[in-house]
């Protein structure tokens, strides 16, 4: 089977790329798609409850975005440097992208926030990323919170006034370089309402890497190498999933990151149980889903691995038709955009 990148292209007018989040969070539009027929209807996210049933389980990614973009200067001559934190490798030890890269040779030291954070480059990796060791007084994440900027996706040009709008209301585990954006639509009141109606909630953690924005370069999709991300599926969530399945309820993943976590565990271990590891699962049409029965997601970039995942779940023709409709109906796209509920 040949799958071409160009098969997943759609024409998106630039003005449909959402630059700022909707207020309140749950007032975004929601396209509802019947997975079997492809039938499309339109609603608002705050009405999600009316599309779910008692006994359904929503599984959400509770990863929290770190303010991973740092602006500072080289100690000694004051030249400008920008760091983007990718992944924690140890105590105050991080893999980063930096620019200008030629300034960041091993042994070079940099200062951020007038010395609140000091960093020394310890290694240059083959791909050009650096390993750096940070020094600070007190807690590293407290210092980062006070001086770091949110690493908004490259297609968002507007400044974000409130950092919390790029976090889900249930974010808890620090570690993502990008938000699991399908969850940005939920409010705490809405989660309470869902639980009151007998819809269960559970959490996994997958720390979203910047690879999520990396374009597919190969024309043959199967030649694309997926990035690896760290996940944790707790026993409590595994028990709820197994219980829901046994009782005939539906397991609905909030976001592609949750979907990838659950399907990774089901695929690689054959069951749903507590797991902690890394996944580079690539889900595209032809994949047989082993855990999820529904998906809540945003609208994704043309030719991205995320639109391929959606196509695998609700069918290629249904997906391309839904996206064509979304453009015609002027839905808002990408991270701060509108929602899609596939059941």
């Amino acid at each position: 089977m040949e799958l071409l990148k160009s098969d997943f292209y759609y024409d998106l007018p630039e003005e449909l790329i959402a630059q700022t989040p909707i207020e309140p969070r749950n007032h975004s539009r929601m396209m509802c798609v019947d997975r079997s027929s492809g039938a499309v209807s339109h609603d608002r996210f705050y009405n999600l409850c009316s599309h779910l049933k008692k006994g359904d389980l929503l599984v959400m990614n509770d990863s929290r975005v770190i303010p991973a973009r740092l602006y500072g200067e080289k100690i000694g001559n004051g030249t400008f440097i920008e760091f983007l934190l990718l992944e924690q490798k140890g105590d105050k030890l991080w893999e980063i992208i930096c620019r200008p890269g030629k300034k960041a040779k091993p042994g070079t030291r940099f200062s951020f926030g007038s010395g609140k954070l000091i960093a020394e480059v310890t290694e240059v990796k083959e791909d050009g990323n650096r390993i750096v060791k940070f020094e600070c007084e007190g807690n590293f994440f407290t210092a980062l919170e006070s001086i770091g900027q949110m690493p908004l996706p490259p297609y968002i040009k507007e400044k974000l006034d409130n950092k919390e709008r790029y976090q889900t209301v249930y974010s808890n585990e620090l570690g993502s370089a990008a938000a699991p954006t399908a969850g940005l639509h939920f409010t705490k009141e809405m989660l309470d309402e869902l639980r009151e109606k007998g819809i269960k909630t559970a959490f996994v953690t997958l720390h979203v890497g910047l690879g999520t924005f990396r374009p597919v370069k190969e024309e043959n999709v199967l030649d694309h190498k997926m990035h690896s991300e760290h996940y944790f599926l707790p026993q409590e969530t595994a028990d709820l999933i197994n219980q829901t399945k046994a009782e005939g309820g539906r397991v609905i993943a909030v976001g592609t990151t949750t979907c990838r976590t659950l399907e990774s565990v089901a695929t690689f271990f054959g069951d749903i149980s507590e797991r902690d590891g890394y996944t580079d699962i690539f889900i595209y049409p032809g994949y047989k889903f082993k855990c999820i029965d529904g998906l809540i997601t945003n609208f994704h970039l043309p030719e991205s691995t995320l639109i391929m995942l959606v196509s695998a779940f609700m069918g290629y023709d249904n997906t391309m038709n839904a996206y064509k409709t979304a453009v015609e109906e002027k839905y808002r796209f990408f991270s701060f955009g509108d929602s899609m509920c596939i059941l």
Side-chain angles (χ1 to χ4, degrees):
M1 177 181 76
E2 190 174 46
L3 270 182
L4 300 181
K5 176 178 79 165
S6 52
D7 292 338
F8 298 91
Y9 178 79
Y10 65 92
D11 196 26
L12 179 68
E14 197 170 329
E15 64 267 19
L16 297 186
I17 300 172
Q19 294 295 320
T20 53
I22 283 278
E23 294 295 346
R25 287 174 182 262
N26 62 353
H27 279 236
S28 57
R29 293 167 76 189
M30 178 173 68
M31 177 183 284
C32 305
V33 187
D34 183 300
R35 187 182 168 200
S36 52
S37 69
V40 169
S41 60
H42 308 282
D43 206 337
R44 293 275 170 182
F45 196 80
Y46 53 71
N47 287 328
L48 176 66
C49 207
S50 63
H51 298 271
L52 304 179
K53 300 173 190 162
K54 186 177 179 179
D56 283 345
L57 173 66
L58 285 175
V59 186
M60 295 169 267
N61 180 6
D62 66 2
S63 183
R64 188 166 172 79
V65 187
I66 55 173
R69 198 180 293 280
L70 288 168
Y71 300 105
E73 58 185 34
K74 185 175 174 181
I75 293 175
N77 64 8
T79 53
F80 171 83
I81 195 80
E82 178 186 348
F83 277 16
L84 189 59
L85 277 55
L86 295 181
E87 187 182 358
Q88 189 168 11
K89 296 294 187 182
D91 181 35
K92 298 190 182 76
L93 195 68
W94 284 80
E95 181 174 343
I96 64 140
I97 299 172
C98 67
R99 62 181 187 192
K102 61 182 183 296
K103 306 277 186 205
K105 297 182 171 64
T108 318
R109 288 166 64 80
F110 299 93
S111 170
F112 302 93
S114 304
K116 277 189 181 172
L117 282 174
I118 303 291
E120 180 171 329
V121 179
T122 62
E123 181 190 338
V124 179
K125 299 187 69 177
E126 274 181 27
D127 58 8
N129 291 355
R130 268 61 173 176
I131 303 294
V132 299
K133 180 74 174 176
F134 284 97
E135 303 162 19
C136 65
E137 282 186 23
N139 184 284
F140 171 78
F141 286 106
T142 303
L144 189 64
E145 193 69 43
S146 69
I147 61 175
Q149 303 288 319
M150 276 297 173
L152 292 177
Y155 47 75
I156 292 178
K157 314 295 185 203
E158 296 275 330
K159 190 173 185 303
L160 183 65
D161 294 330
N162 176 6
K163 280 194 210 174
E164 280 304 306
R165 286 304 273 110
Y166 196 55
Q167 306 278 14
T168 61
V169 295
Y170 48 77
S171 64
N172 192 40
E173 301 294 331
L174 278 166
S176 276
T181 54
L184 292 178
H185 308 281
F186 286 93
T187 63
K188 285 183 174 167
E189 295 75 19
M190 197 174 155
L191 289 169
D192 290 340
E193 180 198 349
L194 288 161
R195 291 172 188 131
E196 280 165 20
K197 297 233 173 130
I199 293 145
K200 298 170 286 188
T201 56
F203 298 95
V204 295
T205 304
L206 181 136
H207 291 317
V208 189
L210 287 178
T212 193
F213 301 119
R214 197 172 64 198
V216 176
K217 292 200 169 83
E218 295 78 8
E219 182 53 25
N220 183 346
V221 166
L222 307 191
D223 293 336
H224 176 70
K225 184 173 180 349
M226 278 293 277
H227 56 290
S228 180
E229 293 167 318
H230 183 256
Y231 72 86
F232 174 56
L233 172 66
Q235 190 60 49
E236 183 184 1
T237 296
D239 290 343
L240 272 168
I241 291 170
N242 292 325
Q243 178 194 341
T244 300
K245 292 279 193 189
E247 293 171 355
R250 297 176 298 182
V251 173
I252 298 155
V254 176
T256 55
T257 57
T258 300
C259 169
R260 291 178 66 241
T261 301
L262 298 181
E263 292 298 323
S264 294
V265 172
T267 297
F268 301 130
F269 300 103
D271 67 350
I272 295 290
S273 52
E274 181 168 319
R275 300 288 174 184
D276 187 347
Y278 283 83
T279 180
D280 59 358
I281 193 170
F282 184 10
I283 297 174
Y284 48 81
Y287 175 84
K288 297 283 183 275
F289 285 81
K290 300 161 189 69
C291 181
I292 75 165
D293 306 297
L295 179 64
I296 293 169
T297 187
N298 280 20
F299 292 91
H300 304 293
L301 277 77
E303 302 184 332
S304 64
T305 60
L306 304 179
I307 194 174
M308 293 170 194
L309 182 153
V310 172
S311 299
F313 186 65
M314 73 169 181
Y316 174 79
D317 290 340
N318 290 347
T319 301
M320 300 317 284
N321 175 61
Y323 271 71
K324 180 172 173 285
T325 304
V327 171
E328 288 167 357
E329 296 289 332
K330 296 190 163 35
Y331 272 70
R332 301 167 81 247
F333 279 68
F334 308 162
S335 295
F336 285 142
D338 293 317
S339 180
M340 181 188 275
C341 178
I342 310 161
L343 294 170

